[in-house]
Amino acid sequence: MGVANKDWRRRPAAAVCGLLLFALGLISLFTGHVASDLEWYSQRLVKRTWYYKDLSYRAQIDIWKSKFSNFYYGCSDRDPHFAPAVRERFSNGYLLIATSGGLNQQRTGITDAVVVARILNATLVVPELDHNSFWKDESDFLNIFDVDWFISYLAKDVPIVKRVPVKVMKSMEKPPYTMRVPRKSEPDYYLEQVLPILLRRRVVQLTKFDYRLANDLDEDLQKLRCRVNYHALRFTKSIRNLGQKLVMRMKKMAKRFIAVHLRFEPDMLAFSGCYYGGGDKERQELSEIRKRWETLPEISPDEERTRGKCPLTPHEVGLLLRALGFDNNTYLYVASGEVYGGDETLRPLRELFPNFYTKEMLAGDELKSLLPFSSRLAAIDYIVCDESDVFVTNNNGNMAKILAGRRRYIGHKRTIRPNAKKLSSLFMARDKMDWKTFARRVKSCQRGFMGEPEEMRPGRGEFHEYPSACICRRPSKYSISNKNNGHQNLDRFLNVSVEASRDENTGSDQSENRLLRREKGSIRNGSISILEEIDHGDFLSD
C-alpha cells in the first residue's frame, strides 16, 4: 500500500516534467523555424539588387523591352594604366592563328587571338579562317571583315600585320613552329609553354584556335576582348550595306520585329542526336550525317530532350512566342540555312506568324553573289538579328552566345532563350490542357530566360555570352514610392535618355557615350542568379 501511494505521488511530477519538455521542444522548433526564415529573408533582401527586391516573379514582363535596360551600357575603354602596345620590331615574335569552325566560332577564336598576342607581347598576323569545316567556305578574313579597320582600331592594344615580313621568313632556319594548345588555357600556360618557343623560333602558329583561352581573365584583358568583338571586328562595307538594307526593309514594314535563329538544319539535328518523329527515314538520314563526327557518343534522343538539349521545332518556337504574347501580326525574320524537312517543317510557324521573312525573301538577286559562301550569308543574318527588337535563340551555339553577349553590351536588348528543359514536358502535354493554361505555364517556365539584365551571375557561363566586365550600370539616385501598390516607381529613371554612338560594325546603337563614361560612381553589375542554369555544352559550331 505504501509503495502504491509513492507511485501515485510520482505520476503528477512525471507528467509535469513531460509537459515542460514538450513545451520546450515546441518553443525550440518554433524559434528554429523563425530563425531559419529570418535568415532566408535576410539573404534574399541583402543579395537582391536595388530593383529586384521590388520586382516579383508575378510582375508582368514587357515582351519587347526590359524596363531596366536603360540602366546598362557597354564600357570597354582601356584603363589609363593599361600599357600601350609593344612596337612590332620590339615584340617577342609573330603569332599565326588558324581558326576553326563556322563564322561565329571563328569570331571567338579571333577575339581570343588578340588577347593571347597581348599576353605574349607578340605581333599578331591577321588570322586565317577555316576552309575545311563542315561548310567548306573558302572566304578569307578580308572577304568578311574590314581588315584595315581591325588593324588600326587595335593599334594601341596589339601590333597586327597582314603577313610575316619576308625578311623574317628568309632569316628563319626552320618553318614556323606549329602547336595546338589545350582548350580554356590560362594565361600562365601561354607564358610558360608558348612564349619560350616563340622567343626561340620567332614565329609560332596555333592551330584549331577556338575556345583556347580561359573564360575568366583579369578585367583589362576582358575589356580587350570586348573591344575586339564589339568594335574591331567590323564586317566589310558590302556586307554591312546589304545587311542594313534588309534591316530597313523589315523596319519599313513593321515598327518592330523579332529575329529567330531557328538552327534547325540537318547538321544541327544530327549533331544533337535528337529525334523529331520522322520515322526510319529521319533516323537514317541524320545517322549518316552524324558519322562525320567520329567522337560523338551514342545517346538517347528522349533523354536529350528531357535534359533540354534538343532545339525546338519551328512549330514549338511559334507556340512559345504566341504563348508569351506575340500575336499573329508580329513580323518575324528567320535566320536559318536549309531547314530539315523544308517548307513542310516551316508551315506551322508560318501559319502562326504569316508575316514571315528570310534573307532570301528580302534580298532576292542581291544575295546571289554570296550564295557559295556560308560565312558571308551568316554575316547577313548576324546583322539583321543584331538590329532586331527581340532576338530568339533556339540553341546555345556560337551565334546564340555571341549575339546574346553583344545585345547585353549595347543596352540589354531583349534576347529570349527557350527554357528547353522545362518546356519539353509542356509541349508533350500540350493536347491535355487548354490554351490559357498552356500559355500561363510557358510564361512561368520562361521566367529568368527573357534576357533581363540580372538573370545571370557575373562570371557564370561563357564570357562571350555574358561579358559582365564590360557592362556598367547607371547609379540610381532617387527612390519614389508608388501610391497605388507600394512598389518602387522606376518610371522617372526609365525616362533618362542615353546618348548613344553608332557602332560602325552593323549600325547598332552603342551605349558607350562620353557622358556616361564621365559619370562618377558607375556601379558594376553585381547580380545573383535567378534562373536554373543549363550547361548545354558546345553544340555544333556556327
Side-chain angles (χ1 to χ4, degrees), residues 223-238:
K223 289 193 172 187
L224 175 56
R225 268 176 162 162
C226 295
R227 290 196 292 277
V228 179
N229 201 357
Y230 306 134
H231 300 282
L233 279 175
R234 183 173 76 173
F235 293 124
T236 61
K237 186 175 181 179
S238 60

Side-chain angles (χ1 to χ4, degrees), residues 245-517:
K245 280 184 182 179
L246 270 56
V247 171
M248 294 310 297
R249 287 167 189 171
M250 286 298 297
K251 290 187 174 181
K252 190 175 181 179
M253 292 185 288
K255 183 180 179 181
R256 52 193 183 184
F257 70 95
I258 300 175
V260 179
H261 185 215
L262 204 52
R263 205 63 179 99
F264 205 72
E265 295 94 340
D267 58 282
M268 181 69 229
L269 303 189
F271 185 85
S272 69
C274 300
Y275 173 68
Y276 291 92
D280 292 337
K281 180 184 177 184
E282 177 187 319
R283 290 191 179 94
Q284 185 175 351
E285 289 175 346
L286 298 184
S287 178
E288 284 300 312
I289 298 174
R290 192 172 172 81
K291 289 177 182 178
R292 299 177 187 180
W293 297 280
E294 297 177 357
T295 58
L296 292 181
E298 290 292 329
I299 56 179
S300 165
D302 292 337
E303 289 181 6
E304 291 298 290
R305 187 167 178 81
T306 302
R307 292 168 58 205
K309 302 289 186 177
C310 297
L312 305 184
T313 67
H315 187 203
E316 289 169 342
V317 170
L319 290 173
L320 166 65
L321 294 176
R322 291 296 296 272
L324 288 175
F326 296 102
D327 61 35
N328 68 344
N329 292 321
T330 302
Y331 278 71
L332 219 64
Y333 177 87
V334 176
S336 178
E338 180 186 356
V339 171
Y340 184 71
D343 289 340
E344 187 62 25
T345 302
L346 287 173
R347 182 176 52 79
L349 179 58
R350 287 176 180 269
E351 291 175 351
L352 289 167
F353 293 94
N355 299 311
F356 176 107
Y357 293 91
T358 64
K359 56 183 175 291
E360 291 81 8
M361 296 168 67
L362 292 170
D365 291 341
E366 295 168 285
L367 208 62
K368 191 175 293 184
S369 63
L370 303 185
L371 292 179
F373 307 104
S374 62
S375 290
R376 298 182 214 183
L377 292 173
I380 299 298
D381 276 337
Y382 181 103
I383 292 172
V384 183
C385 289
D386 184 39
E387 290 277 10
S388 66
D389 297 276
V390 175
F391 175 56
V392 182
T393 72
N394 193 24
N395 72 96
N396 207 31
N398 294 292
M399 182 170 172
K401 290 176 180 177
I402 290 287
L403 270 172
R406 176 177 169 79
R407 290 171 68 88
R408 287 185 171 108
Y409 180 80
I410 62 176
H412 282 86
K413 294 171 71 176
R414 175 72 74 202
T415 300
I416 297 174
R417 179 164 61 105
N419 184 355
K421 186 174 183 179
K422 289 186 176 179
L423 289 173
S424 63
S425 58
L426 258 185
F427 285 126
M428 286 189 286
R430 167 71 187 90
D431 295 334
K432 299 177 182 178
M433 64 186 81
D434 59 42
W435 176 255
K436 188 175 181 180
T437 301
F438 175 76
R440 186 180 70 251
R441 292 186 180 180
V442 166
K443 290 173 183 175
S444 177
C445 287
Q446 284 300 120
R447 290 285 180 178
F449 288 77
M450 295 293 289
E452 289 294 320
E454 305 217 354
E455 285 180 351
M456 190 179 292
R457 184 187 303 118
R460 295 294 297 271
E462 293 288 345
F463 180 78
H464 296 293
E465 181 180 9
Y466 189 69
S468 55
C470 306
I471 297 175
C472 294
R473 191 176 73 202
R474 294 175 60 89
S476 62
K477 298 178 180 178
Y478 310 98
S479 179
I480 308 164
S481 298
N482 186 324
K483 295 180 180 179
N484 295 327
N485 57 18
H487 282 260
Q488 189 178 34
N489 187 340
L490 297 174
D491 293 340
R492 186 173 299 181
F493 304 146
L494 299 178
N495 289 329
V496 177
S497 62
V498 180
E499 178 186 342
S501 62
R502 236 345 135 173
D503 176 8
E504 298 184 55
N505 185 25
T506 63
S508 300
D509 287 337
Q510 289 289 328
S511 302
E512 194 194 19
N513 55 81
R514 295 175 183 175
L515 172 65
L516 294 181
R517 287 203 299 268

Side-chain angles (χ1 to χ4, degrees), residues 150-166:
F150 178 73
I151 293 171
S152 62
Y153 191 92
L154 296 169
K156 294 182 179 179
D157 296 304
V158 173
I160 304 175
V161 296
K162 294 181 180 179
R163 60 190 64 85
V164 178
V166 175

Side-chain angles (χ1 to χ4, degrees), residues 184 186 213-217 222 225 459-464:
K184 307 294 179 70
E186 298 287 342
L213 183 62
N215 188 55
D216 189 19
L217 304 174
Q222 298 289 52
R225 268 176 162 162
R460 295 294 297 271
E462 293 288 345
F463 180 78
H464 296 293

